[in-house]
Amino acid sequence: MQYDAIVIGAGFAGLYALHRLRDEMGLSVRAFDGAGGVGGTWWYNRYPGARVDAPSAPFYGYTFSKELVDEWEWTETQSASADVLAYVDHVADRFDLRKDIQFDTRVTDARWDEATQRWSIETAHGDEASARFLICATGALFVANKPHYPGIDDFAGPVYHTGRWPHEPVSFEGKRVGVIGTGSSGVQAIPEIAKTAEHVTVFQRTAQYALPARNRPLTAEQLQEYRDNWADLRDSMYRRGGWPFPTTRLKAWDHTPEERQARYEEMWAEGGLHLAINSYVGVLADEELNAEVGDFVRAKIGQIVDDPETARKLTPDYLFGTKRLILDNGYFETYNRSNVSLVDLRDDPITAFTATSVQTEHGEHPIDMLVLATGFDAVSGSMLQLNPQGRGGVRLGEKWAARFDTYLGMAIAGFPNLFMIHGPQSPGVLYTMPLGGERHMAWIDACIRHLDENDMGTVEATEEAEAAWDQEVNDLANRTLYPRTNSWYTGANIPGKPRQFLAHTMGSRYFDRIEEIAADGFRGFVFERSSSSIPG
Ligand code: NA7
């Protein structure tokens, strides 16, 4: 089959791409997803306690339709995964998207054809299709990272990865559960699992900063207030890094140490990301301030956790906020339960698995069930799994062997007419993803129209533009403390993955910048005449 555009992925970004290309631009579009339904990451991440890792409602949602904002009833300030899934299901129905999505259908290959200026794809079912444009909404948190411990495959009990959670309920009743990983997924899941499991043993590689989410019900009055002020809120989201919340202009060093502690207490009580983004300017850039905020959180952990030795193991020692900040709902308190124990893998590493236990250097931990909350080959992983073939038969895996070069985080030199949504070097995971997807798609819309208005067949980033973009993204990252810590933002969580800061740190400024580049005739791109208009 031939289409104007093929969209890979039916998560937030892919759904909006389909809607925009089909309903606003009038193109013929087919979307594919390996999952059995819409939601992308949310379709897979159904582990107990899964929530948006930000104070989300109603802002973790689409902004393109005021009707949608008016009709959808978010119920909590930090939306649960089931609510997010119900929302995307509703969106798919409301905009009649399902009829153009092929579910349970993984795209296994994509190849650029120079002569026809088209992308050809193949699916796991052997379907073939082609299109002028390939929109890769493949997800920043899609490829599950599984640890390779000796004997792990010999473990006889069930093994669940948080990023591939089964759709049928999993009971922990009477079970001894081992959990590896204490990122957002582990921190969200552990308190829920501990409620019913006989025992939970947490295997922690890095102690984490987690801030109280202070999740609460969203009242009808609050929702109405959001709806009434929607135009202003949306505008604030555009200007303020994707969230409408105020970010402070207070300078820490204008305040006395006592005033600063009082401010941290206030932000802690407020919950969410306030301590990081609203206490003082520069918490993620000023090392001294960062250390002070880190000390504040470390002291809080010591106050919450009863057993001093457990508290010590749970106390992080890296720069505050430089790994993904976690919002928790009773995580540290969970270690005061008698059925929860913690193994610090730095002191006591895993040596092997048996059919019934995890063996560490200093002991054996019998378990009936294993939960891997070990994260993802983030940001670049899903594109590398697709591994499209661009000009001259070059695969993305070859191009990205040492560095994830992109232009604007959306385009790749050598891969004409291919657009990534939330690709490496775009704000992606550091921005509100539904809104970021909309804004990427608005840019792609303008680019496709530019092509058509000028009778061009292809658009492609230049290598020079990629190099300059690389420099720009790195310079911005280096103004923060992020690159100083090993995290999935830098690729350090995956053995052998090239180290590179994978996100553009200035969300709102990024979107201004790409719009300015579009207005300047899509600077940094080259265009080729449409092959159908070149006399044969
Ligand atoms: P994360 O944030 O990557 O967390 C994964 C956790 O698993 C983290 O604590 C890792 O320790 C740990 N990990 C990874 N590999 C291993 C091995 N081999 N052994 C022991 N421990 C390991 O993934 P999440 O799913 O929690 O969250 C990802 C994002 O999804 C999140 O930020 C939200 O945006 C939603 P490490 O810190 O690397 O030492």
Side-chain angles (χ1 to χ4, degrees):
M1 287 292 292
Q2 300 208 334
Y3 303 96
D4 294 322
I6 285 173
V7 176
I8 306 181
F12 266 91
L15 288 180
Y16 181 65
L18 169 57
H19 169 63
R20 180 130 187 171
L21 293 159
R22 187 192 70 182
D23 302 330
E24 292 187 20
M25 299 177 68
L27 303 183
S28 64
V29 190
R30 187 80 173 154
F32 296 87
D33 199 307
V38 295
T41 294
W42 293 104
W43 195 84
Y44 291 101
N45 281 259
R46 299 173 189 230
Y47 58 85
R51 289 180 181 276
V52 179
D53 64 345
S56 57
F59 310 110
Y60 188 91
Y62 294 110
T63 71
F64 71 90
S65 161
K66 174 69 164 73
E67 293 74 35
L68 194 54
V69 173
D70 285 343
E71 72 199 17
W72 189 256
E73 305 286 334
W74 293 106
T75 57
E76 294 176 292
T77 56
Q78 193 196 11
S79 303
S81 119
D83 290 345
V84 176
L85 274 170
Y87 172 77
V88 282
D89 265 329
H90 168 74
V91 171
D93 292 334
R94 191 187 193 289
F95 296 95
D96 200 14
L97 300 174
R98 287 181 212 278
K99 67 175 187 221
D100 291 309
I101 306 172
Q102 205 165 314
F103 294 109
D104 292 311
T105 308
R106 203 162 54 81
V107 175
T108 48
D109 200 10
R111 290 185 308 275
W112 173 250
D113 183 83
E114 312 261 357
T116 57
Q117 297 177 324
R118 293 179 73 83
W119 281 96
S120 297
I121 63 126
E122 277 171 35
T123 74
H125 301 316
D127 310 303
E128 292 182 7
S130 80
R132 274 184 78 197
F133 302 104
L134 188 66
I135 314 290
C136 299
T138 49
L141 300 166
F142 173 67
V143 179
N145 171 40
K146 296 191 182 135
H148 301 286
Y149 287 112
I152 193 164
D153 294 333
D154 300 335
F155 176 64
V159 180
Y160 302 109
H161 193 289
T162 47
R164 287 287 178 281
W165 202 260
H167 287 200
E168 55 281 359
V170 175
S171 168
F172 305 103
E173 206 84 42
K175 297 278 194 309
R176 295 164 303 175
V177 184
V179 181
I180 302 181
T182 53
S184 288
S185 304
V187 166
Q188 290 180 344
I190 289 161
E192 291 303 314
I193 297 172
K195 283 179 188 165
T196 54
E198 182 185 312
H199 194 87
V200 179
T201 307
V202 178
F203 298 90
Q204 170 194 275
R205 187 163 73 179
T206 307
Q208 296 273 20
Y209 294 99
L211 304 176
R214 311 256 185 252
N215 180 35
R216 39 193 177 252
L218 207 57
T219 63
E221 294 72 39
Q222 281 171 316
L223 257 182
Q224 196 49 48
E225 204 181 308
Y226 289 135
R227 288 171 182 149
D228 292 345
N229 296 315
W230 183 246
D232 287 347
L233 287 169
R234 186 170 187 263
D235 187 51
S236 299
M237 288 168 82
Y238 270 65
R239 285 183 290 106
R240 288 187 173 138
W243 300 106
F245 312 119
T247 44
T248 189
R249 288 176 189 272
L250 286 180
K251 295 198 174 66
W253 312 125
D254 292 344
H255 286 191
T256 64
E258 294 73 27
E259 285 168 337
R260 292 201 298 276
Q261 289 302 316
R263 178 112 187 124
Y264 301 145
E265 287 290 355
E266 201 186 314
M267 296 296 115
W268 181 267
E270 188 68 34
L273 295 170
H274 281 274
L275 185 69
I277 62 172
N278 206 22
S279 54
Y280 291 105
V281 172
V283 172
L284 289 170
D286 176 332
E287 198 167 344
E288 203 181 332
L289 174 60
N290 184 283
E292 190 172 276
V293 174
D295 284 343
F296 175 84
V297 180
R298 282 188 277 273
K300 285 286 180 202
I301 296 169
Q303 288 159 21
I304 297 169
V305 179
D306 295 339
D307 173 44
E309 180 55 11
T310 307
R312 183 192 66 77
K313 291 181 193 167
L314 286 167
T315 301
D317 60 3
Y318 63 92
L319 292 160
F320 171 77
T322 51
K323 278 174 178 285
R324 178 94 179 175
L325 269 170
I326 298 171
L327 300 187
D328 84 279
N329 290 287
Y331 174 67
F332 293 115
E333 289 83 347
T334 298
Y335 291 91
N336 295 334
R337 298 176 66 111
S338 57
N339 69 333
V340 177
S341 52
L342 179 66
V343 176
D344 182 353
L345 298 180
R346 289 196 189 173
D347 296 342
D348 189 12
I350 294 173
T351 49
F353 277 72
T354 70
T356 55
S357 70
V358 184
Q359 300 197 324
T360 60
E361 216 164 85
H362 302 309
E364 180 162 7
H365 307 272
I367 57 168
D368 306 308
M369 192 185 261
L370 179 64
V371 173
L372 299 174
T374 43
F376 302 91
D377 181 355
V379 187
S380 53
S382 63
M383 281 304 294
L384 281 175
Q385 195 172 73
L386 177 67
N387 199 17
Q389 179 181 284
R391 273 196 205 283
V394 176
R395 291 275 173 186
L396 187 61
E398 298 166 56
K399 160 112 185 172
W400 278 2
R403 234 184 137 68
F404 306 106
D405 285 325
T406 79
Y407 183 40
L408 314 183
M410 281 189 286
I412 309 166
F415 295 77
N417 293 12
L418 178 153
F419 300 101
M420 294 178 291
I421 301 182
H422 302 309
Q425 304 184 314
S426 77
V429 290
L430 293 183
Y431 195 74
T432 318
M433 296 196 81
L435 178 62
E438 286 178 336
R439 300 188 76 178
H440 263 171
M441 216 23 248
W443 189 96
I444 294 165
D445 174 330
C447 185
I448 291 176
R449 287 179 203 267
H450 180 82
L451 233 72
D452 288 346
E453 280 156 17
N454 294 285
D455 196 23
M456 293 296 173
T458 69
V459 55
E460 183 181 352
T462 66
E463 286 184 357
E464 295 72 35
E466 279 186 341
W469 187 249
D470 189 32
Q471 187 71 48
E472 182 171 331
V473 173
N474 272 313
D475 289 350
L476 286 171
N478 287 332
R479 285 192 216 162
T480 73
L481 299 170
Y482 281 122
R484 304 241 314 253
T485 296
N486 286 336
S487 70
W488 57 261
Y489 292 149
T490 62
N493 65 326
I494 303 294
K497 183 167 174 171
R499 296 292 178 92
Q500 174 183 345
F501 195 75
L502 288 165
H504 190 287
T505 50
M506 304 288 285
S508 293
R509 206 190 291 172
Y510 164 89
F511 286 104
D512 291 346
R513 183 104 168 81
I514 62 171
E515 278 164 26
E516 174 245 314
I517 285 167
D520 191 21
F522 292 87
R523 198 171 64 235
F525 289 91
V526 286
F527 296 88
E528 246 178 25
R529 294 295 297 275
S530 168
S531 56
S532 57
S533 67
I534 301 168

